[in-house]
Amino acid sequence: IKVMSRARPADKMRLVKLLQQSGQVVSVTGDGTNDAPALNYADVGLSMGTGTAVAKEASDIILLDDSFASVTTAVRWGRSIYLNIQKFIQFQLTINVVALITALTGPFIGIEFPLTVTQMLWVNLIMDTFAALALASEPSYKEVMKKKPRGMNDFIISKGMMRDIFGVGAIFLVILLGLLVWMNKDGNVSVYELSVFFTIFVMMQFWNMFNARTLGSNNSAFYKLNENRSFLLIAALILGLQIVIIQFGGGFFRTEPISLEHWVMIVAGTSAVLWIGEIKRFIARLKAGKK
């Protein structure tokens, strides 16, 4: 059916149900009382701002300006918000996997508490609060409209996300556990060494937060970064507070001040997390350009 005219309310509702039974996702637009049943049964009901109260009540979205262009804007923002949630979930689960296994494996290596309770609380603050604000505040980009709609039953954690979560998490674990074994080679790990370990742990997640911005695209982590000042502010806040905790945390955070030389080495060394991701995305862009 291409055009159906002189349709009764029951005809419209039946058409919606038949399309849904065939596996289609159905959207209905209307402005009159006779459109209410179809608007109510549709997956997405769109009513006009100048429509009847019954139509508005039955719909999911009301177009206040009566412009169909607003539907495109709504879809774009819906996709962008969903993608931002995925970015945060990927970042959160990666840091969760690494923190959990590190804490559980430490005693077997001979280090009872690789990370203290207060240090874990700070990691959780980065993960649950700051990262959520930084990644959720990502602006909407037109590129999201070029992708195919996701399936109704698709899990929010995609296969690509799973590969990144466990792949990146495994690499981080190998580095961190290897570092703990190296520190414990003489059977004694100093507070200074554990402060270095804690800083490396946080800085690896810090740079991975930039990689999380690129989920769903092959763009650089710096793509339109200036448009998200919240992200830049939060990134600066995390780095600044980490310096304060290490240099002045003392017994409360079980830290000792780290020398400037070691700070430079840690920041530069852990930044490889970002640069490896940038190289990977650059190669992907080249391949996409050749196609």
Side-chain angles (χ1 to χ4, degrees), residues 220-234:
S220 167
F222 302 103
Y223 178 70
K224 294 185 178 180
L225 184 59
N226 60 321
E227 294 183 11
N228 190 354
R229 294 186 178 180
S230 297
F231 186 96
L232 292 172
L233 179 63
I234 290 169

Side-chain angles (χ1 to χ4, degrees), residues 91-135:
F91 174 79
Q92 183 188 45
L93 291 182
T94 302
I95 195 173
N96 260 331
V97 168
V98 176
L100 177 64
I101 298 178
T102 300
L104 290 175
T105 310
F108 294 98
I109 297 174
I111 303 172
E112 188 174 359
F113 295 109
L115 298 169
T116 66
V117 174
T118 49
Q119 288 173 351
M120 288 293 287
L121 285 173
W122 167 234
V123 170
N124 278 321
L125 186 62
I126 297 173
M127 177 180 65
D128 292 333
T129 307
F130 292 153
L133 291 171
L135 296 172

Side-chain angles (χ1 to χ4, degrees), residues 177-246:
L177 295 180
L179 185 61
L180 285 176
V181 171
W182 180 79
M183 288 178 173
N184 195 40
K185 61 183 184 296
D186 57 355
N188 181 38
V189 181
S190 66
V191 174
Y192 186 91
E193 288 175 322
L194 289 173
S195 300
V196 170
F197 174 81
F198 175 46
T199 304
I200 291 173
F201 179 92
V202 171
M203 290 308 301
M204 288 173 76
Q205 307 302 338
F206 173 82
W207 294 116
N208 196 41
M209 187 171 69
F210 285 82
N211 285 332
R213 288 191 73 236
T214 66
L215 178 66
S217 73
N218 292 320
N219 293 327
S220 167
F222 302 103
Y223 178 70
K224 294 185 178 180
L225 184 59
N226 60 321
E227 294 183 11
N228 190 354
R229 294 186 178 180
S230 297
F231 186 96
L232 292 172
L233 179 63
I234 290 169
L237 183 64
I238 291 173
L239 182 59
L241 288 176
Q242 180 65 22
I243 293 172
V244 171
I245 287 171
I246 293 297

Side-chain angles (χ1 to χ4, degrees), residues 1-20:
I1 297 175
K2 298 287 176 121
V3 177
M4 187 170 70
S5 64
R6 300 181 68 83
R8 295 171 297 179
D11 295 331
K12 297 178 182 179
M13 184 176 69
R14 182 166 178 266
L15 181 60
V16 169
K17 288 184 175 181
L18 288 171
L19 286 167
Q20 289 173 331

